[in-house]
Amino acid sequence: MDRSRSLYGPALRYFAAVARSGSIRSASRELNVASSAVNRQILWLEQSLGHTLFDRLARGVQLTPAGEILR
């Protein structure tokens, strides 16, 4: 199995759910996991890639240009 797939797989799945819903909380409900787990995976992915993928807003999140490219 490709090691990068096992490392990035969950983070990318969470990223896609957040991008689709526009909210970490909504994505966590969709994925049936805690909001903090989704947020940790997004933060880990951003750190690993060296780019901010979402702008955190008062109500939800918005993709940055780097996030748009990844999506």
Side-chain angles (χ1 to χ4, degrees):
M1 177 155 125
D2 181 10
R3 188 156 187 245
S4 65
R5 180 175 290 167
S6 65
L7 289 175
Y8 288 99
L12 289 173
R13 191 165 46 100
Y14 290 10
F15 167 82
V18 173
R20 197 172 35 252
S21 69
S23 162
I24 289 174
R25 184 172 287 166
S26 294
S28 72
R29 282 192 297 265
E30 175 187 327
L31 296 164
N32 199 31
V33 296
S35 295
S36 60
V38 174
N39 191 50
R40 276 193 308 272
Q41 287 291 316
I42 297 299
L43 291 172
W44 177 84
L45 186 59
E46 289 177 328
Q47 182 180 19
S48 296
L49 298 174
H51 292 283
T52 303
L53 301 172
F54 293 100
D55 287 325
R56 274 77 173 168
L57 307 171
R59 288 217 174 268
V61 295
Q62 184 175 12
L63 285 166
T64 64
E68 288 286 354
I69 291 169
L70 182 61
R71 181 175 61 167

